[in-house]
Amino acid sequence: MPQEQYTHRSTMQTSEGPQVYKVGIYGWRKRCLYFFVLLLMILILVNLAMTIWILKVMNFTIDGMGNLRITEKGLKLEGDSEFLKPLYAKEIRSRPGNPLYFQSARNVTVNILNEKTKVLSRLVTGPQAVEAHSQKFEVKTLSGKLLFSADDNEVVVGAERLRVLGAEGTVFPKSIETPNVRADPFKELR
């Protein structure tokens, strides 16, 4: 009998032997995980490609974007630009020797504001007229001599000669005072 017990014991040990437990994800869960990792990698590549495409189309560089450059003095805009909302700037200049153009389908309005953003002066150039809203309006020569000034109290014409070219001349409803009245050379004074 001891022989039989030994063989029985050996068969039991071999049949029961060390059991192997599977650790990890197997089957359909493993395939789904691989699918999601692959989908995530595709999304990352598409996102990277779109970002590079946007940077290329918008012309991003270290200095700025497109025609807009960042300089030590501020922003420098080269070429034509379109502003859909109001533009607030301390100073707007063109390059030396080049004109500065403003184009609008309706009007161009320049407002002068105080610290509380209340309008102090306004210049409106529209399709029908140019309007200036201010306490005083002045036109001066390059040397600083006053040519024309207007405010609530008076209108001053500072030119050496005032010519009225209308067919009817000038009509004054009240009296005028002048040191000299003369007609054009070889014309009658009426």
mmCIF file of all heavy atoms in Angstrom, residues 22-34:
data_model
loop_
_atom_site.group_PDB
_atom_site.id
_atom_site.type_symbol
_atom_site.label_atom_id
_atom_site.label_comp_id
_atom_site.label_asym_id
_atom_site.label_seq_id
_atom_site.Cartn_x
_atom_site.Cartn_y
_atom_site.Cartn_z
ATOM 1 N N LYS A 22 -4.456 34.651 -14.149
ATOM 2 C CA LYS A 22 -4.211 35.648 -15.196
ATOM 3 C C LYS A 22 -4.461 37.035 -14.606
ATOM 4 O O LYS A 22 -5.520 37.305 -14.047
ATOM 5 C CB LYS A 22 -5.135 35.421 -16.383
ATOM 6 C CG LYS A 22 -4.857 34.151 -17.135
ATOM 7 C CD LYS A 22 -5.781 34.031 -18.329
ATOM 8 C CE LYS A 22 -5.474 32.794 -19.130
ATOM 9 N NZ LYS A 22 -6.361 32.676 -20.295
ATOM 10 N N VAL A 23 -3.458 37.910 -14.731
ATOM 11 C CA VAL A 23 -3.567 39.276 -14.230
ATOM 12 C C VAL A 23 -3.567 40.210 -15.437
ATOM 13 O O VAL A 23 -2.730 40.078 -16.327
ATOM 14 C CB VAL A 23 -2.388 39.631 -13.298
ATOM 15 C CG1 VAL A 23 -2.494 41.063 -12.823
ATOM 16 C CG2 VAL A 23 -2.343 38.681 -12.126
ATOM 17 N N GLY A 24 -4.499 41.143 -15.500
ATOM 18 C CA GLY A 24 -4.560 42.101 -16.606
ATOM 19 C C GLY A 24 -5.925 42.100 -17.256
ATOM 20 O O GLY A 24 -6.897 41.553 -16.750
ATOM 21 N N ILE A 25 -5.987 42.783 -18.422
ATOM 22 C CA ILE A 25 -7.243 42.920 -19.148
ATOM 23 C C ILE A 25 -7.176 42.001 -20.356
ATOM 24 O O ILE A 25 -6.226 42.051 -21.135
ATOM 25 C CB ILE A 25 -7.476 44.374 -19.583
ATOM 26 C CG1 ILE A 25 -7.498 45.278 -18.352
ATOM 27 C CG2 ILE A 25 -8.753 44.502 -20.368
ATOM 28 C CD1 ILE A 25 -7.548 46.736 -18.672
ATOM 29 N N TYR A 26 -8.215 41.162 -20.529
ATOM 30 C CA TYR A 26 -8.236 40.220 -21.638
ATOM 31 C C TYR A 26 -9.591 40.284 -22.320
ATOM 32 O O TYR A 26 -10.568 40.769 -21.750
ATOM 33 C CB TYR A 26 -7.966 38.793 -21.131
ATOM 34 C CG TYR A 26 -6.558 38.628 -20.630
ATOM 35 C CD1 TYR A 26 -6.268 38.725 -19.282
ATOM 36 C CD2 TYR A 26 -5.517 38.410 -21.517
ATOM 37 C CE1 TYR A 26 -4.985 38.606 -18.819
ATOM 38 C CE2 TYR A 26 -4.221 38.288 -21.068
ATOM 39 C CZ TYR A 26 -3.965 38.377 -19.725
ATOM 40 O OH TYR A 26 -2.678 38.265 -19.281
ATOM 41 N N GLY A 27 -9.617 39.870 -23.541
ATOM 42 C CA GLY A 27 -10.869 39.752 -24.281
ATOM 43 C C GLY A 27 -11.316 41.087 -24.851
ATOM 44 O O GLY A 27 -10.522 41.898 -25.323
ATOM 45 N N TRP A 28 -12.652 41.301 -24.818
ATOM 46 C CA TRP A 28 -13.229 42.499 -25.424
ATOM 47 C C TRP A 28 -12.788 43.769 -24.719
ATOM 48 O O TRP A 28 -12.694 44.829 -25.328
ATOM 49 C CB TRP A 28 -14.753 42.391 -25.471
ATOM 50 C CG TRP A 28 -15.399 42.369 -24.116
ATOM 51 C CD1 TRP A 28 -15.652 41.294 -23.347
ATOM 52 C CD2 TRP A 28 -15.856 43.509 -23.394
ATOM 53 N NE1 TRP A 28 -16.231 41.653 -22.171
ATOM 54 C CE2 TRP A 28 -16.380 43.031 -22.176
ATOM 55 C CE3 TRP A 28 -15.883 44.874 -23.628
ATOM 56 C CZ2 TRP A 28 -16.917 43.853 -21.214
ATOM 57 C CZ3 TRP A 28 -16.423 45.705 -22.673
ATOM 58 C CH2 TRP A 28 -16.934 45.204 -21.465
ATOM 59 N N ARG A 29 -12.490 43.704 -23.413
ATOM 60 C CA ARG A 29 -12.029 44.891 -22.685
ATOM 61 C C ARG A 29 -10.674 45.355 -23.202
ATOM 62 O O ARG A 29 -10.429 46.544 -23.336
ATOM 63 C CB ARG A 29 -11.922 44.574 -21.194
ATOM 64 C CG ARG A 29 -13.253 44.376 -20.549
ATOM 65 C CD ARG A 29 -13.075 44.164 -19.063
ATOM 66 N NE ARG A 29 -14.148 43.324 -18.582
ATOM 67 C CZ ARG A 29 -14.031 42.349 -17.724
ATOM 68 N NH1 ARG A 29 -12.855 42.075 -17.220
ATOM 69 N NH2 ARG A 29 -15.059 41.651 -17.349
ATOM 70 N N LYS A 30 -9.819 44.409 -23.518
ATOM 71 C CA LYS A 30 -8.493 44.739 -24.037
ATOM 72 C C LYS A 30 -8.613 45.392 -25.409
ATOM 73 O O LYS A 30 -7.953 46.388 -25.689
ATOM 74 C CB LYS A 30 -7.650 43.470 -24.120
ATOM 75 C CG LYS A 30 -6.218 43.703 -24.530
ATOM 76 C CD LYS A 30 -5.473 42.382 -24.500
ATOM 77 C CE LYS A 30 -4.022 42.560 -24.786
ATOM 78 N NZ LYS A 30 -3.296 41.280 -24.739
ATOM 79 N N ARG A 31 -9.487 44.848 -26.265
ATOM 80 C CA ARG A 31 -9.672 45.443 -27.593
ATOM 81 C C ARG A 31 -10.260 46.845 -27.496
ATOM 82 O O ARG A 31 -9.865 47.743 -28.235
ATOM 83 C CB ARG A 31 -10.566 44.535 -28.435
ATOM 84 C CG ARG A 31 -9.786 43.386 -29.019
ATOM 85 C CD ARG A 31 -10.643 42.521 -29.910
ATOM 86 N NE ARG A 31 -10.739 41.234 -29.214
ATOM 87 C CZ ARG A 31 -11.837 40.560 -28.991
ATOM 88 N NH1 ARG A 31 -12.971 41.005 -29.449
ATOM 89 N NH2 ARG A 31 -11.810 39.425 -28.337
ATOM 90 N N CYS A 32 -11.207 47.080 -26.602
ATOM 91 C CA CYS A 32 -11.778 48.432 -26.408
ATOM 92 C C CYS A 32 -10.715 49.412 -25.909
ATOM 93 O O CYS A 32 -10.666 50.569 -26.339
ATOM 94 C CB CYS A 32 -12.942 48.373 -25.428
ATOM 95 S SG CYS A 32 -14.439 47.714 -26.138
ATOM 96 N N LEU A 33 -9.859 48.961 -24.984
ATOM 97 C CA LEU A 33 -8.801 49.827 -24.481
ATOM 98 C C LEU A 33 -7.847 50.226 -25.604
ATOM 99 O O LEU A 33 -7.489 51.403 -25.740
ATOM 100 C CB LEU A 33 -8.041 49.130 -23.353
ATOM 101 C CG LEU A 33 -6.908 49.941 -22.725
ATOM 102 C CD1 LEU A 33 -7.455 51.175 -22.037
ATOM 103 C CD2 LEU A 33 -6.130 49.090 -21.749
ATOM 104 N N TYR A 34 -7.440 49.253 -26.436
ATOM 105 C CA TYR A 34 -6.582 49.570 -27.573
ATOM 106 C C TYR A 34 -7.269 50.525 -28.551
ATOM 107 O O TYR A 34 -6.659 51.435 -29.087
ATOM 108 C CB TYR A 34 -6.127 48.304 -28.294
ATOM 109 C CG TYR A 34 -5.033 47.555 -27.584
ATOM 110 C CD1 TYR A 34 -5.033 46.154 -27.548
ATOM 111 C CD2 TYR A 34 -3.996 48.222 -26.962
ATOM 112 C CE1 TYR A 34 -4.032 45.460 -26.899
ATOM 113 C CE2 TYR A 34 -2.993 47.538 -26.308
ATOM 114 C CZ TYR A 34 -3.018 46.167 -26.283
ATOM 115 O OH TYR A 34 -2.017 45.488 -25.638
#
